[in-house]
Amino acid sequence: MRRTLLAALATCATLAAGAALAQDGPPPGMQMPSPEAIFKRWDANSDGAVDLAEWKAAGRPEDRFAMIDANKDGKITLDELKAAFEKMRQRRMQEGGPPPGPPPEGPPPQN
């Protein structure tokens, strides 16, 4: 009887902890990196732009490159990546989901 009660209590505690984590979003170390950090990692030759070869080398799907390359010059700039992140953030907010991470400028101001 004691084992059954302890197992039930442990299960309830685990479920409650999981639900609390799901409501608060990912732990701080698990948030999506900033656009600047992602851009720096993808810009392999450090020329200030990510071309299609760098994009694919980073493991990104080729069809998404055109979605982010707003001016269609064959390169993605940091500003274009930030704009794409903001667009994604707005879409997720409209759908009722949490934003994917801190905004490009840093965390939102506290009220």
Side-chain angles (χ1 to χ4, degrees):
M1 178 73 172
R2 274 185 153 174
R3 285 185 187 170
T4 305
L5 182 59
L6 286 174
L9 287 173
T11 301
C12 288
T14 302
L15 291 174
L21 284 174
Q23 288 178 351
D24 293 338
M30 299 295 288
Q31 287 186 340
M32 192 163 83
S34 70
E36 293 84 359
I38 292 171
F39 189 83
K40 184 176 181 181
R41 191 171 59 234
W42 290 350
D43 185 14
N45 63 5
S46 301
D47 67 349
V50 176
D51 61 28
L52 184 57
E54 290 170 316
W55 179 263
K56 292 190 312 187
R60 305 298 305 151
E62 187 172 341
D63 61 324
R64 294 199 181 159
F65 183 85
M67 293 168 42
I68 297 176
D69 183 14
N71 64 1
K72 308 301 179 206
D73 66 350
K75 297 177 182 178
I76 295 173
T77 64
L78 178 57
D79 288 338
E80 287 173 319
L81 187 62
K82 284 181 178 182
F85 268 53
E86 185 56 34
K87 206 172 181 181
M88 180 177 64
R89 182 182 316 286
Q90 293 299 321
R91 185 173 57 241
R92 288 194 68 181
M93 294 297 283
Q94 288 173 351
E95 293 171 356
E105 309 80 43
Q110 300 295 322
N111 294 335

